[in-house]
Amino acid sequence: MGAAQCARDDHYDAITTTYQLYARTGTLTHLVNARRWALHHRRDQINLSGPDIGHPRYPSQYLNNTRYTFPQGLIQDYFMFGDEQARQASAIVVDNFYLPHAESWYYKAPNTRGFWTEREAAFSLIGIMAHYEGTGNAVYLNKVRDRVASLRRMQVDNGGRARVHNLYDHDPSEGCGQPDYGSSPWMSGLLLEAIIKYHKLTNDPLARESILMAVDDLRARYLATGDYAYRLTGAQVYRTLGTSLFNTSVENGVTASHKHYDQQFRSSGHFPAYLSGPAAPPPPSAPANLRVVR
């Protein structure tokens, strides 16, 4: 395990993926390394005080990147070892960095120029929900509810698609022109992970609708896994596509860096569970204690 001072060199939550490895294998080395990642992240990679409290400890151009702060991994560490300092570090990130976000993090109007990317919204939502699970405080879950509603509105306003944004402003090095709009399929996978988690916690029907809109658009225009969409609907087309992509990834996937490994493992690890669970439950209503705005 390296000891990168900046989480940008660790990328996409090595704490979470290493705890997942331990859960699936029982190998003590994975448990030890996950614990080391968690301690390193909370001590060395987060601003624990000062004007940038809760933000990643890195030069200013990455100060507002949620993908370099990992409350989910910290909460998993708290659950594993009961270390209150892990939960406190999670609170520092969530309360000071994620909760004050403007709506523009979760909604980009159609044909609007400017940087926007699915993964920044994704890591914020994943972190807030993890902190909710670590505290039981419904304030956090209701904040996610509001932001999932904004993301769904972004889809509806773009004609029922995935989250459409200006591809040139996101990353001009990828070859898109200034008038080009679309979605980032692999980053959409991260955002789907967040919304799937929210749906599993709440059964909010708006989240279900958001998931299926995104998967259908990505399936039609790009390429996206359909594992949870199969779980929601029982439609074999989702299972077939998801299985094909999963098998291709196992055989030919590239994990040349922390970023590649953590991204692929955190997503593909859920696939067998989604397929083995019951398919096509009736669309449920959100629980009464969760505020849902139509």
Side-chain angles (χ1 to χ4, degrees), residues 76-283:
Q76 290 173 345
D77 188 66
Y78 166 73
F79 284 143
M80 289 297 298
F81 291 96
D83 188 342
E84 185 60 36
Q85 290 186 25
R87 187 165 66 168
Q88 290 171 357
S90 172
I92 288 173
V93 174
V94 171
D95 291 344
N96 295 283
F97 183 15
Y98 295 174
L99 292 193
H101 281 163
E103 188 187 25
S104 57
W105 279 73
Y106 308 95
Y107 179 84
K108 195 79 170 174
N111 302 314
T112 300
R113 292 288 305 274
F115 178 85
W116 194 92
T117 178
E118 295 92 338
R119 65 185 171 188
E120 294 301 328
F123 275 100
S124 171
L125 298 180
I126 289 169
I128 296 171
M129 283 186 286
H131 198 66
Y132 161 74
E133 291 183 304
T135 63
N137 187 340
V139 167
Y140 297 111
L141 195 59
N142 279 316
K143 180 63 72 173
V144 173
R145 183 269 306 165
D146 292 339
R147 292 171 175 179
V148 168
S150 292
L151 288 163
R152 175 188 168 277
R153 179 164 61 92
M154 182 176 175
Q155 294 177 263
V156 171
D157 289 352
N158 279 286
R161 295 187 55 186
R163 289 89 193 174
V164 176
H165 51 96
N166 187 276
L167 299 176
Y168 177 87
D169 290 337
H170 165 226
D171 191 349
S173 68
E174 293 182 348
C176 296
Q178 293 186 11
D180 292 338
Y181 287 81
S183 304
S184 303
W186 67 273
M187 293 189 193
S188 293
L190 289 167
L191 191 48
L192 279 166
E193 178 185 341
I195 297 174
I196 286 167
K197 176 67 174 181
Y198 169 74
H199 182 262
K200 291 168 70 176
L201 287 172
T202 66
N203 287 332
D204 186 340
L206 296 187
R208 182 183 191 275
E209 180 185 350
S210 176
I211 292 165
L212 295 177
M213 275 195 294
V215 170
D216 286 341
D217 186 51
L218 293 168
R219 183 168 61 93
R221 298 172 185 270
Y222 312 102
L223 200 60
T225 183
D227 46 6
Y228 197 74
Y230 166 73
R231 180 80 172 268
L232 289 175
T233 65
Q236 286 296 319
V237 65
Y238 296 127
R239 182 187 179 107
T240 300
L241 176 60
T243 301
S244 176
L245 288 173
F246 180 79
N247 291 338
T248 299
S249 298
V250 170
E251 293 173 4
N252 303 306
V254 176
T255 56
S257 69
H258 287 132
K259 173 181 178 179
H260 297 138
Y261 178 82
D262 291 339
Q263 156 69 6
Q264 294 181 44
F265 191 85
R266 66 180 298 127
S267 298
S268 63
H270 296 293
F271 181 82
Y274 291 152
L275 292 190
S276 63

Side-chain angles (χ1 to χ4, degrees), residues 10 17 72 78 114 134 239 254 282 293:
D10 294 345
T17 54
Q72 183 183 31
Y78 166 73
R239 182 187 179 107
V254 176
V293 175

Side-chain angles (χ1 to χ4, degrees), residues 33-45:
N33 280 340
R35 177 65 166 157
R36 291 172 67 193
W37 278 119
L39 292 173
H40 171 53
H41 182 59
R42 83 183 196 212
R43 291 170 178 171
D44 304 321
Q45 297 180 331

